[in-house]
Amino acid sequence: MLQRNRPSAKAVIRGGESCPQICGEVLFFQTGNSVTVRADISNLPDSCSMFHGFHIHGGDSCGGKDFSASGGHFDLDEKPHPMHSGDMPPLLSYNGHAFMEFRTNRFSVCEITGKTVVIHSGTDDFRTQPSGNAGEKIACGLICRC
């Protein structure tokens, strides 16, 4: 079904100062009351971790040399991590490439448009507050309507 449909929104992912080779895209498909998320990321560093924290952040830009303008995790309901609206499954890198597709009802495309997608250097531990101790922000992309 998704192959026939255009995404509702998209984030073009670019690596930061510590990992400038990272590139890819995250597509968001509004499908009724849920959103299907498809991530295709290349050139992830294998030296840090095979798993990378992957979240929607509340900022409206990827500005700052450490992506500081991306802000903290997007959270509509003020819940603790890992129940933030923007908490997503971690990316699993295989030889620097990660592909993932999943469905969520934690947000709508309208709610996340203008927010950011952030990839972290390490694994999200799903416990540490406020953001899972996933390490530095190594890549970022602004979510824009298609």
Side-chain angles (χ1 to χ4, degrees):
M1 176 183 85
L2 294 180
Q3 291 177 342
R4 293 186 310 245
N5 294 335
R6 288 181 38 135
S8 306
K10 174 181 176 176
V12 176
I13 304 298
R14 294 204 173 20
E17 203 171 88
S18 66
C19 298
Q21 72 282 6
I22 296 173
C23 60
E25 65 182 11
V26 181
L27 304 177
F28 300 90
F29 299 84
Q30 187 72 52
T31 51
N33 292 331
S34 65
V35 175
T36 299
V37 179
R38 179 185 296 156
D40 191 357
I41 311 296
S42 297
N43 303 317
L44 289 162
D46 287 329
S47 59
C48 298
S49 172
M50 287 176 40
F51 289 96
H52 296 275
F54 180 59
H55 310 103
I56 295 174
H57 283 237
D60 61 2
S61 125
C62 291
K65 78 177 199 178
D66 60 353
F67 301 122
S68 57
S70 66
H73 289 191
F74 175 66
D75 186 21
L76 290 168
D77 302 318
E78 297 184 25
K79 292 183 178 179
H81 181 72
M83 297 305 296
H84 295 146
S85 306
D87 288 335
M88 299 190 289
L91 292 172
L92 173 59
S93 174
Y94 177 74
N95 291 332
H97 186 255
F99 178 85
M100 174 171 49
E101 186 171 292
F102 65 95
R103 182 176 268 173
T104 182
N105 64 358
R106 290 186 177 194
F107 53 79
S108 70
V109 168
C110 289
E111 292 166 329
I112 61 169
T113 299
K115 306 301 183 200
T116 54
V117 174
V118 172
I119 299 173
H120 294 267
S121 61
T123 305
D124 187 325
D125 68 13
F126 300 106
R127 291 185 307 274
T128 304
Q129 300 302 320
S131 60
N133 197 30
E136 73 173 300
K137 298 173 182 179
I138 60 171
C140 184
L142 180 66
I143 302 169
C144 300
R145 279 282 198 182
C146 291

